[in-house]
Amino acid sequence: MALAAGALAVAAAHPALAQEKVLRIAMTAADIPRTLGQPDQGFEGNRFTGIPMYDALTHWDLSSSDKPSVLIPGLATSWAVGATDKTKWTFKLRPGVKFHDGSAFNADAVVWNVQKVLDKDAVHFDASQVGVTASRMPTLRSARKIDDLTVELTTSEPDSFLPLNLTNLFMASPAHWQKKFEAAQGATPADKAKAAWTAFASDASGSGPFRMTRFVPRERLELAANKDYWDARRRPKVDRVVMLPMPEANARTAALLSGQVDWIEAPAPDAMAQIRQRGFTIYSNPQPHVWPWQLSFLPGSPWLNKDVRHAANLCVDREGLRTLLGGMMGIPKGTVPPGHPWWGNPKFDIKYDVKAAQALMQKAGFSAARPMKAKVQISASGSGQMQPLPMNEFVQQSLKQCFFDIEFDVIEWNTLFTNWRLGAKDATARGAHAINVSYAAMDPFFAMVRFTSTKTFPPVSNNWGFFGNDEFDKLIGDARSTFDDRGRDAALAKLHARIVEEAPFIWIAHDVGPRAMSAKVMGVVQPRSWFIDIAPMSID
């Protein structure tokens, strides 16, 4: 009672505090995603420390719930590939944009931000940001200033995907970093730069709709509204956002029901009915996001036989899994659904057919007495991982009826995500024959290319299982070098059909992004995207 009375007294003495609109979010991550410009924790990092605090040259349009998100201008107002040299792109930059520290965004800032992850000779180069950046735009090589509001980007080969990939390169303030560098201690410039980035992460400066006000690792991140944000449509309607890491689904659900938070990611499926009965809203929407097992193609892998890969895809009871999740999943036929421009009508039909799966396994020499043994590396929580432990255990039991004997290696999510880039050959795989990392599939590189190109073998990008050959490289090259949308879609459809037919994945689920929110949270748009925009939301 004394505490409550004290709080009321403070509010009475400071009316502004009583009226402050605060949005509190419980994430699935076990830690605050990195705040220095290039987030970790998978795409949950982009969603909660990237998009709110920073801008990129290109953005995803997250303003609609009834159509797919498309690419729109961000800090670049327009872009064009060279008429004769398709490795050169010209980006026109948005005038008048300021970073949170008051310094100007311009072409020098773009060059600096490219150098931070690509130029090892740059003083501000940060190796810790490379893995989550370069692997998402592997053809980008350099940036050159043409004038204050024009920059030229160069790729290693013609790459029509570049504008899409650039949504992942967030622009940090060079001037703010420089102040941290000048104040840093260190015996060498490299030591000072490392210290400067550490200081920057605790006092970051981007140009996004929210600015950092408080950062406590593994505990909380607080952001305040940037009332001078350049895009009037995205000027925040809440005063402050508090983000809390809560990797366990039941803990998140309890925090919501008790009023500790206003928004939780991935609520516990068995609590859905109670959440609704208590007046909370559960948002979901089909989105381009795949929950798979990605298979190893190294010598000795049990997945080298295509019959075995097809059998596994035919033996997963996805309808049963959807029931387990309270209906919160989509059933995949591939990486993209039938009717998508990239569908391509694959000859292999992913469905639930136990008898067909058993026949394929027997053809491959397996039986109940002689099952196929495989280890899968999985996480206990994490961005996009939905409900990984019960889901994986369900799949394990489902596959048992088709003569699969599956063992799990359960590790922390961010470690698993790092292992994903290191690949099946690396010691971190610990002998695993598959890995369970969910992935966004909203652009060609993220959906298909990084998993099937011989140029994206680890550590370049996420071809964890070393799948690929000349046929796939040619299909990828045809799509990457086609700069008209219709022609590129046709090339990608051929690629997708062959991926499904060769089955380098077990496609288990499509995420629908369930999140539960207090009825006080208004202006929520759940887009058909892995991302969501906090800026237009308000607290009633």
Side-chain angles (χ1 to χ4, degrees):
M1 290 295 292
L3 285 174
L8 289 172
V10 170
H14 301 278
L17 292 179
Q19 298 169 9
E20 186 181 38
K21 304 294 186 180
V22 181
L23 177 62
R24 302 162 299 169
I25 303 172
M27 304 177 292
T28 67
D31 196 0
I32 302 296
R34 299 188 83 196
T35 55
L36 72 182
Q38 299 308 126
D40 62 352
Q41 300 287 346
F43 268 171
E44 192 161 36
N46 284 33
R47 186 163 65 237
F48 288 131
T49 66
I51 293 170
M53 294 170 58
Y54 293 92
D55 290 306
L57 293 178
T58 55
H59 286 177
W60 291 107
D61 182 358
L62 304 175
S63 64
S64 175
S65 62
D66 58 6
K67 58 185 179 182
S69 295
V70 296
L71 198 69
I72 58 174
L75 291 178
T77 57
S78 65
W79 50 89
V81 69
T84 55
D85 186 348
K86 300 300 184 184
T87 67
K88 305 291 186 186
W89 290 80
T90 301
F91 285 77
K92 294 292 185 180
L93 307 181
R94 191 175 299 279
V97 175
K98 299 286 187 182
F99 289 107
H100 297 151
D101 60 293
S103 62
F105 167 77
N106 51 30
D108 290 321
V110 176
V111 172
W112 187 92
N113 276 278
V114 171
Q115 289 175 331
K116 76 183 178 186
V117 291
L118 292 184
D119 185 356
K120 293 181 180 179
D121 294 327
V123 173
H124 62 288
F125 174 77
D126 183 14
S128 76
Q129 298 186 58
V130 172
V132 294
T133 311
S135 63
R136 295 172 174 173
M137 51 192 74
T139 66
L140 181 61
R141 288 295 176 266
S142 64
R144 180 176 70 88
K145 174 182 176 180
I146 295 176
D147 59 45
D148 278 351
L149 293 177
T150 311
V151 67
E152 179 185 80
L153 301 185
T154 300
T155 58
S156 58
E157 61 184 276
D159 187 359
S160 62
F161 310 155
L162 182 69
L164 294 158
N165 297 158
L166 289 173
T167 57
N168 300 288
L169 182 62
F170 294 107
M171 297 291 149
S173 167
H176 193 62
W177 184 88
Q178 186 63 32
K179 289 180 181 178
K180 302 296 184 187
F181 179 76
E182 291 168 0
Q185 300 297 312
T188 67
D191 291 337
K192 288 188 64 176
K194 187 175 182 179
W197 277 117
T198 300
F200 189 97
S202 298
D203 178 29
S205 179
S207 62
F210 292 93
R211 57 182 176 81
M212 175 189 285
T213 56
R214 186 183 178 202
F215 172 56
V216 183
R218 304 193 74 85
E219 183 179 320
R220 67 197 293 119
L221 171 67
E222 296 188 15
L223 308 178
N226 176 12
K227 299 296 187 182
D228 297 321
Y229 186 58
W230 56 266
D231 186 348
R233 297 166 300 177
R234 295 186 64 222
R235 284 182 191 143
K237 295 179 174 61
V238 297
D239 299 303
R240 193 157 53 94
V241 177
V242 179
M243 299 182 189
L244 307 167
M246 289 190 189
E248 208 279 312
N250 288 324
R252 289 193 301 275
T253 301
L256 180 72
L257 294 174
S258 65
Q260 295 176 48
V261 296
D262 309 297
W263 161 353
I264 64 172
E265 296 287 282
D270 58 3
M272 296 280 191
Q274 183 185 10
I275 289 170
R276 291 189 176 100
Q277 288 167 2
R278 295 277 294 274
F280 297 93
T281 303
I282 297 177
Y283 295 89
S284 67
N285 208 351
Q287 57 184 229
H289 199 268
V290 182
W291 197 95
W293 286 0
Q294 186 177 354
L295 309 178
S296 170
F297 286 79
L298 296 182
S301 170
W303 302 108
L304 292 177
N305 186 326
K306 185 162 69 173
D307 286 337
V308 171
R309 303 195 299 273
H310 282 190
N313 273 290
L314 294 171
C315 198
V316 177
D317 179 9
R318 297 172 182 84
E319 285 289 358
L321 184 59
R322 179 155 63 180
T323 299
L324 175 73
L325 295 174
M328 291 295 173
M329 68 166 265
I331 294 181
K333 287 285 189 178
T335 297
V336 300
H340 191 285
W342 307 339
W343 170 242
N345 297 313
K347 294 182 177 67
F348 174 54
D349 183 20
I350 298 171
K351 58 185 177 180
Y352 186 43
D353 189 337
V354 173
K355 288 185 177 180
Q358 290 174 337
L360 286 170
M361 290 296 282
Q362 288 167 340
K363 177 184 171 186
F366 298 104
S367 64
R370 185 178 178 273
M372 191 210 89
K373 296 180 180 291
K375 180 192 286 189
V376 186
Q377 202 163 71
I378 69 173
S379 67
S381 66
S383 168
Q385 295 294 88
M386 300 173 70
Q387 307 294 336
L389 290 180
M391 288 176 72
N392 275 300
E393 288 167 356
F394 183 95
V395 174
Q396 180 186 48
Q397 289 303 310
S398 191
L399 290 176
K400 185 174 287 188
Q401 64 190 323
C402 301
F403 320 136
F404 290 91
D405 181 4
I406 301 297
E407 172 191 357
F408 292 130
D409 179 18
V410 185
I411 60 178
E412 188 271 332
W413 159 240
N414 211 40
T415 303
L416 182 75
F417 193 79
T418 299
N419 293 0
W420 193 35
R421 293 194 303 272
L422 296 175
K425 290 181 181 179
D426 194 77
T428 57
R430 303 201 290 207
H433 308 108
I435 192 167
N436 171 223
V437 179
S438 61
Y439 62 90
M442 67 281 191
D443 75 63
F445 179 75
F446 277 80
M448 295 182 279
V449 172
R450 59 181 171 156
F451 305 122
T452 58
S453 170
T454 61
K455 296 179 181 179
T456 57
F457 286 166
V460 175
S461 195
N462 301 114
N463 195 340
W464 179 89
F466 294 84
F467 173 83
N469 54 42
D470 290 345
E471 177 198 0
F472 279 87
D473 285 345
K474 183 181 186 306
L475 290 169
I476 291 165
D478 290 345
R480 189 168 243 154
S481 59
T482 302
F483 288 83
D484 71 279
D485 291 344
R486 183 173 295 181
R488 184 168 60 247
D489 284 348
L492 290 167
K494 293 178 182 177
L495 175 62
H496 182 260
R498 290 294 295 127
I499 291 172
V500 174
E501 290 161 1
E502 289 300 314
F505 295 101
I506 303 171
W507 287 271
I508 295 167
H510 285 316
D511 198 359
V512 297
R515 47 181 56 97
M517 297 192 196
S518 164
K520 297 186 300 181
V521 184
M522 310 298 289
V524 178
V525 174
Q526 174 96 355
R528 293 185 181 179
S529 170
W530 175 234
F531 304 120
I532 191 169
D533 193 1
I534 301 170
M537 298 182 193
S538 61
I539 295 284
D540 189 5

